[in-house]
Amino acid sequence: MSSRIFIPGLQSVLRIQRVYRSFSISVPTQTTGGVKKLGVIGAGQMGLGISFVAALVSKVPVVLVDSSEDSINKSLGFLDKLLQKDVAKGKYSQDDANQVIKRIEPTTKFDAIFAADFIIEAVPEITPLKCEIFGKLAAGARSDTILSTNTSSISITKIAAAAKGAEDRVVSTHFMNPVPVQKGVEIISGLQTASETVDRAVAFVKAMGKIPSVSTDSPGFIANRILIPYINEAITCLETGVGKKEDIDSIMKNGCAMPMGPLALADFIGLDTCLAIMNVLYTETADSKYRPAVLLQKMVDAGWLGMKSKKGFYDY
């Protein structure tokens, strides 16, 4: 069987360029928790962001795997431009930027990931795809390698079950988008996850300059269990005529001190992603309060997915 895994639907990182330009990173004092090499699967915006921060802040070498050479080239091209702009602004030196590029090893060969002792999967929210990947990781990675997923909604217990023989080493490190800007990371354990696995994940996340929050495997975990229903309710308010989109976003920004209005945030996340998470919450809890807004489903059906499609609640 070929070890090559097709990773479909990777989003272009270029659409978050303006957000990435404004970030700043403080170098942590923690060690890397024993991580000498990181593996990242998926060169989309999340995979690139994780690779970038690991190479810059924790200073570990990164193997970045993607089945699409075009996706890799686009991501690394974006990263190079970002680094050059930050060097010009004095955020760090040219040598620092060169070292970041040097530490990231891009490849389309899936087997290359087996050299890492901490692996983070960052592919689209497709359960069979993730399970296939974790089955291959369990078979090929070393017996002490941590196998982590960046999933935002899929059960960690289900993903771990696909990693036959390595179930206790599967955990979730759910980074927030965009990775260089957002400090928080959810560490989620499945039913099978060993406490040592969680401890090592927490240590490495801290070494990346992030602030971990630990939770158990529950639909939506913490962040999306709260955030996505909030967005869904804002869409329902728009759908039922409670307020115009500008007014809904304005009151949450200017009245509730949110950095971004919920409809603009939905566009940034991707309406298809919001719908997928709401469907997980609704299906797995059987609670009617998680029913996706009718307008959300219609917009996804129309292909109006937000920033990624140039049209959502706003035009881009």
Side-chain angles (χ1 to χ4, degrees), residues 8-209:
L10 293 175
Q11 302 168 3
S12 171
V13 297
L14 299 178
R15 65 187 175 87
I16 58 171
Q17 186 169 5
R18 287 178 298 175
V19 180
Y20 267 44
R21 287 175 184 166
S22 64
F23 87 96
S24 61
I25 292 180
S26 58
V27 178
T29 58
Q30 288 88 354
T31 67
T32 59
V35 177
K36 297 179 180 178
K37 178 172 283 191
L38 175 68
V40 177
I41 304 172
Q45 65 188 49
M46 296 303 294
L48 177 67
I50 294 166
S51 301
F52 173 36
V53 175
L56 178 65
V57 182
S58 57
K59 294 181 170 57
V60 296
V62 180
V63 179
L64 178 60
V65 176
D66 195 293
S67 61
S68 169
E69 191 167 345
D70 184 57
S71 291
I72 290 175
N73 291 337
K74 284 181 179 179
S75 293
L76 294 181
F78 166 73
L79 178 58
D80 185 59
K81 290 179 181 178
L82 173 66
L83 288 169
Q84 292 308 312
K85 289 177 180 176
D86 287 342
V87 168
K89 292 176 182 178
K91 290 186 175 180
Y92 35 80
S93 69
Q94 182 62 55
D95 183 62
D96 289 333
N98 292 342
Q99 289 301 314
V100 168
I101 295 295
K102 189 175 181 180
R103 290 185 189 112
I104 298 176
E105 175 192 345
T107 180
T108 57
K109 296 179 179 179
F110 188 80
D111 289 356
I113 206 77
F114 298 150
D117 45 22
F118 197 109
I119 299 172
I120 301 175
E121 164 272 310
V123 306
E125 293 289 89
I126 303 171
T127 301
L129 173 62
K130 290 181 184 287
C131 289
E132 179 189 356
I133 288 173
F134 275 81
K136 289 181 177 293
L137 291 177
R142 297 198 314 269
S143 61
D144 61 344
T145 299
I146 299 298
L147 309 179
S148 177
T149 175
N150 188 57
T151 183
S152 59
S153 60
I154 298 171
S155 167
I156 312 307
T157 299
K158 182 180 292 185
I159 293 174
K164 301 297 183 185
E167 295 92 339
D168 62 335
R169 291 184 282 117
V170 176
V171 69
S172 174
T173 49
H174 178 210
F175 289 81
M176 304 298 155
N177 184 28
V179 178
V181 179
Q182 302 292 0
K183 287 287 187 181
V185 178
E186 282 186 302
I187 308 294
I188 305 116
S189 58
L191 190 62
Q192 314 94 317
T193 308
S195 58
E196 179 187 356
T197 299
V198 174
D199 292 342
R200 288 178 63 188
V202 167
F204 184 61
V205 162
K206 287 182 177 179
M208 291 178 66

Side-chain angles (χ1 to χ4, degrees), residues 131-288:
C131 289
E132 179 189 356
I133 288 173
F134 275 81
K136 289 181 177 293
L137 291 177
R142 297 198 314 269
S143 61
D144 61 344
T145 299
I146 299 298
L147 309 179
S148 177
T149 175
N150 188 57
T151 183
S152 59
S153 60
I154 298 171
S155 167
I156 312 307
T157 299
K158 182 180 292 185
I159 293 174
K164 301 297 183 185
E167 295 92 339
D168 62 335
R169 291 184 282 117
V170 176
V171 69
S172 174
T173 49
H174 178 210
F175 289 81
M176 304 298 155
N177 184 28
V179 178
V181 179
Q182 302 292 0
K183 287 287 187 181
V185 178
E186 282 186 302
I187 308 294
I188 305 116
S189 58
L191 190 62
Q192 314 94 317
T193 308
S195 58
E196 179 187 356
T197 299
V198 174
D199 292 342
R200 288 178 63 188
V202 167
F204 184 61
V205 162
K206 287 182 177 179
M208 291 178 66
K210 302 302 184 183
I211 301 172
S213 296
V214 178
S215 69
T216 56
D217 189 13
S218 180
F221 315 133
I222 296 175
N224 284 330
R225 184 74 167 261
I226 298 169
L227 176 64
I228 302 301
Y230 155 70
I231 290 173
N232 191 64
E233 188 62 27
I235 297 171
T236 299
C237 286
L238 178 64
E239 176 186 330
T240 57
V242 174
K244 296 179 180 179
K245 62 185 179 184
E246 296 84 0
D247 293 317
I248 293 169
D249 279 354
S250 176
I251 194 59
M252 297 311 296
K253 287 175 60 180
N254 302 312
C256 299
M258 298 294 185
M260 184 183 292
L263 301 178
L265 179 57
D267 279 352
F268 180 76
I269 294 171
L271 301 190
D272 53 341
T273 300
C274 292
L275 178 61
I277 296 171
M278 282 303 298
N279 278 327
V280 167
L281 292 173
Y282 186 45
T283 301
E284 295 193 8
T285 65
D287 192 329
S288 61

